[in-house]
Amino acid sequence: MSRVPLDPRTAPTFQQAARALLGDAQLRKNVRHATDVIQTKRRKLVEEKQDWQALRESGRQIRAHVLENLDVYLEEFERNFTKAGGVIHWARDAAEAQKIVVGLVKEIGTTEVIKIKSMTTEEIQLNNALEAAGVHAYETDLAELIIQLGEDQPSHIVVPALHKNRAQVREIFRRTMNLPDLGDKPADLADAARRFLREKFLRVTTAVSGANFLVAETGGVCIVESEGNGRMCLTMPETLISVVGVEKVVPRWQDLEPLLQMLPRSATGERMNPYNSMWCGVHPGDGPQRMHIVLLDNGRTEVLADREGRQTLQCIRCGACQNACPVYRQTGGHAYGSVYAGPIGAILTPQLMHLEHSQSLPYASSLCGACYEVCPVKINIPEVLIHLRHKVVEQNGWYAPESLAMKAVAQVFRSERRFRAAQRLGRLAELPLVKSEKRSFAIVGQKQEASDGWIGWLPGLLGGWTSTRDLQAMPQETFRDWWEKRGKQ
């Protein structure tokens, strides 16, 4: 079933998309409810871990060390995975990864594949490429199945259908599965999905997946999930094709210890994932007999070269930053115009696109720091956001509106004479816009009233401020003026 992919190259700016989505009351209610539930569960399980901060630091060090030595560990993984009977493919970009996967599927001679939820396959728009080649991909994760049957787009890294409620899911299943009498209980919906997918598991012989981690030491691959659909896709098909970002490698089997404690707690509020699948190559009579891994770059090498932006690649895709972000909770994931939504998407997508697209995303944040506080591998997202904002201004040149405004302000602030002149001009310019309004306030228990000037509308680019808030008018007397008068008395 086709759907229009989320493509940062053609997506509207975050501000434009967010303005439209803020009007969808049902979506906002669904997102807030889902993120509240996940955060409450996460908070409880994190508090029971007295070594949580030590785990975070351990995870940060492991991921940072990998990025410092990425070439070494990727080559080690390739050697060990190949020795175990697998085949490694290297893909520079999305087009090359699509070509490799489609070529492998065509070589097998099948027209159907089953899929485990994978952000990398969404990133390269693999489903659309397979469909164009006459191959139907069946999503087997419940949330991804809802998205696929509803011809929708994922809005969360871990919970793609977070923006849908039970009634909406029921309507999608009734329409697409031909179940007019389907009940509305969670068990009814889960049973409908189970029956729909079981036939696919038993018949389709080729599976496509991503991976949570690659272990260089053993050539092993690790996938964690909560429903069991992944286990079915990893064990029953004859061929398994995995598309994995190059940054997902870890040096040793032991390095999974802190990561697999933090990932489920941060992602879904569980102590551990119900299904942890790990395999090391091909074993006769057990699991897939042909295993391929497509190691995807697609802009990651350029991110790696940026000393400040590099920490973005430490991400283990838990989605905790999305759940904590006040901006994401208001707009949902679709406003970001990318499969990577929320704070991590605001720094990852622009970098993967070489800042040619998605330049509005680094500004989709209040810089409150909530994302950094919950990140299990200590990615300082606010720091990277500021870094990217600087790069956007630099890339757009001195003639960009923001750059011109900052240069003008800098010139004014360098001179007391210019600063005072600007204040006088500002008071004159605002006169037609100021509306007098009486506001009450209390001083030492006594209610007082004052007539203050407020501005409810500003023209042009300045209107972005007054579209959602009022601006208080400049005072008729500045502190400097008052102080100078006081000194003369």
Side-chain angles (χ1 to χ4, degrees), residues 261-396:
Q261 290 184 70
M262 293 189 293
L263 178 56
R265 283 178 165 82
S266 298
T268 53
E270 299 171 290
R271 289 185 177 87
M272 66 178 292
N273 292 98
Y275 296 90
N276 296 273
S277 300
M278 306 179 192
W279 67 94
C280 299
V282 176
H283 301 275
D286 182 13
Q289 298 303 291
R290 294 181 294 274
M291 295 183 63
H292 299 265
I293 288 185
V294 181
L295 289 172
L296 177 68
D297 187 328
N298 202 34
R300 287 162 173 79
T301 300
E302 286 79 2
V303 179
L304 189 67
D306 185 338
R307 297 296 301 184
E308 292 187 64
R310 170 187 295 182
Q311 59 183 303
T312 307
L313 298 179
Q314 294 174 196
C315 179
I316 59 174
R317 304 292 191 269
C318 68
C321 61
Q322 294 181 254
N323 303 328
C325 178
V327 177
Y328 174 84
R329 284 162 57 84
Q330 291 298 322
T331 64
H334 294 161
Y336 294 80
S338 166
V339 296
Y340 300 111
I344 190 63
I347 62 174
L348 179 60
T349 302
Q351 292 185 89
L352 293 181
M353 304 301 294
H354 317 293
L355 280 179
E356 294 177 8
H357 307 281
S358 305
Q359 291 192 356
S360 63
L361 290 187
Y363 297 89
S365 169
S366 65
L367 301 178
C368 68
C371 49
Y372 174 65
E373 293 299 323
V374 299
C375 178
V377 289
K378 289 187 166 183
I379 302 172
N380 195 330
I381 294 178
E383 180 181 86
V384 181
L385 285 167
I386 294 172
H387 171 62
L388 293 179
R389 291 180 185 185
H390 175 70
K391 292 184 71 172
V392 168
V393 173
E394 275 194 333
Q395 185 167 309
N396 291 338

Side-chain angles (χ1 to χ4, degrees), residues 30-294:
N30 295 346
V31 170
R32 284 197 300 270
H33 172 72
T35 53
D36 282 344
V37 169
I38 296 172
Q39 283 204 97
T40 299
K41 292 170 62 180
R42 175 197 173 277
R43 190 178 302 112
K44 179 181 178 181
L45 294 184
V46 165
E47 287 173 353
E48 74 179 17
K49 292 290 291 181
Q50 296 184 3
D51 62 343
W52 180 252
Q53 294 305 323
L55 283 172
R56 289 183 74 205
E57 179 59 21
S58 177
R60 185 199 67 78
Q61 290 185 17
I62 291 168
R63 299 298 294 131
H65 172 74
V66 165
L67 298 180
E68 290 284 352
N69 304 275
L70 189 57
D71 56 337
V72 174
Y73 292 121
L74 284 173
E75 289 176 0
E76 183 182 356
F77 174 78
E78 181 181 31
R79 286 194 303 273
N80 291 326
F81 184 75
T82 302
K83 189 186 302 182
V87 180
I88 293 288
H89 309 264
W90 298 83
R92 294 183 183 86
D93 53 29
E96 190 169 354
Q98 289 177 356
K99 183 178 179 181
I100 292 169
V101 176
V102 170
L104 290 171
V105 173
K106 286 293 187 180
E107 183 181 317
I108 296 166
T110 185
T111 58
E112 296 176 304
V113 299
I114 49 178
K115 286 183 76 248
I116 309 171
K117 185 175 80 67
S118 163
M119 299 307 295
T120 47
T121 59
E122 288 285 348
E123 177 187 330
I124 66 172
Q125 301 175 19
L126 181 60
N127 284 14
N128 294 76
L130 288 170
E131 184 174 350
V135 179
H136 188 89
Y138 296 102
E139 296 290 350
T140 64
D141 175 85
L142 178 57
E144 287 285 359
L145 178 64
I146 293 167
I147 294 298
Q148 184 177 42
L149 296 180
E151 299 186 25
D152 200 353
Q153 296 295 340
S155 65
H156 193 280
I157 290 175
V158 178
V159 196
L162 168 141
H163 58 289
K164 296 290 188 185
N165 62 24
R166 189 193 311 175
Q168 292 169 316
V169 173
R170 179 195 183 203
E171 182 55 35
I172 290 171
F173 281 6
R174 287 178 62 184
R175 184 179 71 252
T176 58
M177 296 181 184
N178 193 25
L179 299 171
D181 299 323
L182 179 63
D184 63 353
K185 296 179 180 178
D188 298 329
L189 303 178
D191 185 61
R194 184 182 298 112
R195 292 174 182 274
F196 178 83
L197 292 173
R198 186 55 57 95
E199 185 269 338
K200 311 294 187 296
F201 290 138
L202 295 174
R203 178 173 55 81
V204 180
T205 59
T206 301
V208 175
S209 80
N212 291 93
F213 305 104
L214 306 174
V215 184
E217 178 183 50
T218 62
V221 183
C222 173
I223 286 184
V224 299
E225 38 104 11
S226 300
E227 299 172 14
N229 64 297
R231 184 66 58 83
M232 300 288 279
C233 290
L234 298 173
T235 56
M236 299 190 69
E238 298 171 5
T239 303
L240 175 63
I241 304 168
S242 302
V243 182
V244 188
V246 292
E247 80 280 11
K248 291 298 185 69
V249 68
V250 296
R252 302 166 300 168
W253 183 265
Q254 186 179 351
D255 294 325
L256 294 177
E257 180 184 350
L259 298 174
L260 291 184
Q261 290 184 70
M262 293 189 293
L263 178 56
R265 283 178 165 82
S266 298
T268 53
E270 299 171 290
R271 289 185 177 87
M272 66 178 292
N273 292 98
Y275 296 90
N276 296 273
S277 300
M278 306 179 192
W279 67 94
C280 299
V282 176
H283 301 275
D286 182 13
Q289 298 303 291
R290 294 181 294 274
M291 295 183 63
H292 299 265
I293 288 185
V294 181

